[in-house]
Amino acid sequence: MHQSALERVRQALQKRGEATRPQLAHDTGLSLVSCNQAMAELCKRGEAQEAGVVPSGGGRPVMLYRLNAGHTHGAYFLAQRSGALVRGTLEICDMLGRHVHTDSAEFAYLGVESLDEWLDIATRRSPLFGISLQIPADILPAGLTEHLEARYKCPARQLNKADALADATDDTLTLYFTPGHAPVCSLRRGEKQIHTGELGLLPMPTAWGELDYSDHTLVEEMISRVITILACTLAPARFVLYADFWTSRLTKRILFNTSAKLRQGSPALQFLHVTPAQATERLRHFACRCFMA
């Protein structure tokens, strides 16, 4: 069975909740034969299960299927500074992205093996389909994702809030700004979401952590400079910028400043409001489901 067919049927079943094989064939564009083969393989693996029958319009009843949500689980680890310590939270979710379990602890130092005890306990319940990480760059242990992938035999990814906020429009660069931190971005290109991480190393008039957001002139210049640099280096067709501090005046000034810097070929800019709490919740949901998408 070709892996892409399995993935397409799994995703379609995940979106519908419950579905028949003809419905899944319609949703995926696969032939009914290919869909039947994929569903048989998912049931054999324990990832899907029968969920009863439904009428078929006068013919024989048709079998209904659903994902076996507890067959495998995903892990999401969030780390942030707490004074001199690092506070970490590990969340476990099922295949439908539903929360199963949470653990929190404080670390004097975050090392490559710091998550092993937690994840060892999680894998006693079921294997992991993926491990999502949100760890600031200055405390991210070198080689952590490689260690986790080797130990737990599943993909591990460092994510950010721009990854979770990004839509599926190709050639779009999503930027997320939150006071006190460097902006993060994510690029959609060629039907893939390319993680680009924090932008703290770009040349700026001041450090992002020291930026006074009541100084709109400086905020305008910092954000316009980020857009200009990324427009010249990554050349997206469209920018989507998320923050909770946008005002009509500030966005107009950013548009004018950016157009002046780029002169011709300025990409489309869209400014959307999102609170830190909303962005965090979007990331939590996305982190537990991104490996199934």
Side-chain angles (χ1 to χ4, degrees):
M1 170 57 55
H2 198 277
Q3 188 66 22
S4 64
L6 283 176
E7 293 169 354
R8 287 159 67 181
V9 171
R10 185 191 294 115
Q11 291 168 28
L13 190 58
Q14 184 184 41
K15 290 179 180 178
R16 275 188 176 263
E18 294 182 341
T20 64
R21 287 176 292 183
Q23 288 173 334
L24 294 171
H26 176 270
D27 290 353
T28 60
L30 296 170
S31 69
L32 187 57
V33 171
S34 295
C35 186
N36 290 345
Q37 292 174 343
M39 182 54 64
E41 180 64 23
L42 290 174
C43 288
K44 180 180 178 181
R45 294 183 181 190
E47 293 186 42
Q49 58 192 9
E50 295 178 353
V53 295
V54 294
S56 63
R60 292 169 50 187
V62 179
M63 183 62 66
L64 195 65
Y65 295 89
R66 69 164 67 101
L67 282 180
N68 179 10
H71 170 72
T72 181
H73 288 85
Y76 166 49
F77 179 74
L78 166 67
Q80 52 193 345
R81 290 197 176 278
S82 178
L85 302 175
V86 174
R87 181 166 183 79
T89 301
L90 179 72
E91 297 188 8
I92 304 297
C93 67
D94 65 17
M95 292 179 68
L96 296 177
R98 298 178 302 198
H99 176 264
V100 174
H101 183 72
T102 300
D103 279 308
S104 296
E106 290 186 329
F107 303 86
Y109 166 76
L110 192 64
V112 172
E113 300 178 351
S114 294
L115 308 186
D116 289 358
E117 183 176 352
W118 275 346
L119 293 175
D120 286 348
I121 294 173
T123 54
R124 291 173 195 159
R125 304 185 187 102
S126 72
L128 296 175
F129 59 74
I131 303 169
S132 302
L133 307 169
Q134 189 199 351
I135 305 175
D138 60 330
I139 59 174
L140 177 65
L144 176 60
T145 56
E146 293 81 2
H147 166 78
L148 294 175
E149 289 182 338
R151 185 178 179 91
Y152 298 103
K153 311 303 180 186
C154 69
R157 299 178 186 170
Q158 168 79 337
L159 302 174
N160 64 47
K161 292 176 182 176
D163 294 318
L165 294 167
D167 61 32
T169 307
D170 195 33
D171 213 19
T172 294
L173 194 148
T174 302
L175 276 163
Y176 173 70
F177 297 88
T178 180
H181 301 276
V184 291
C185 74
S186 188
L187 176 64
R188 182 80 175 184
R189 180 158 287 166
E191 299 185 351
K192 293 183 179 180
Q193 202 66 39
I194 303 170
H195 175 83
T196 51
E198 295 181 10
L199 302 175
L201 297 180
L202 296 181
M204 291 291 137
T206 188
W208 288 100
E210 301 171 2
L211 177 60
D212 178 3
Y213 278 76
S214 66
D215 184 348
H216 283 187
T217 299
L218 186 55
V219 171
E220 169 205 335
E221 176 59 27
M222 296 271 282
I223 294 175
S224 298
R225 190 174 297 190
V226 166
I227 294 169
T228 301
I229 293 172
L230 295 176
C232 294
T233 55
L234 299 179
R238 171 175 173 255
F239 280 82
V240 179
L241 301 95
Y242 285 90
D244 66 347
F245 53 78
W246 300 134
T247 65
S248 177
R249 183 169 182 269
L250 177 59
T251 57
K252 288 179 181 178
R253 289 177 59 172
I254 292 171
L255 285 167
F256 179 82
N257 192 322
T258 305
S259 298
K261 283 180 166 62
L262 292 171
R263 294 179 181 268
Q264 294 181 344
S266 180
L269 303 181
Q270 183 177 9
F271 298 86
L272 299 177
H273 282 266
V274 66
T275 67
Q278 289 170 332
T280 297
E281 186 58 31
R282 287 277 293 272
L283 178 59
R284 178 178 289 109
H285 183 73
F286 174 76
C288 288
R289 299 189 67 166
C290 66
F291 292 102
M292 309 303 293

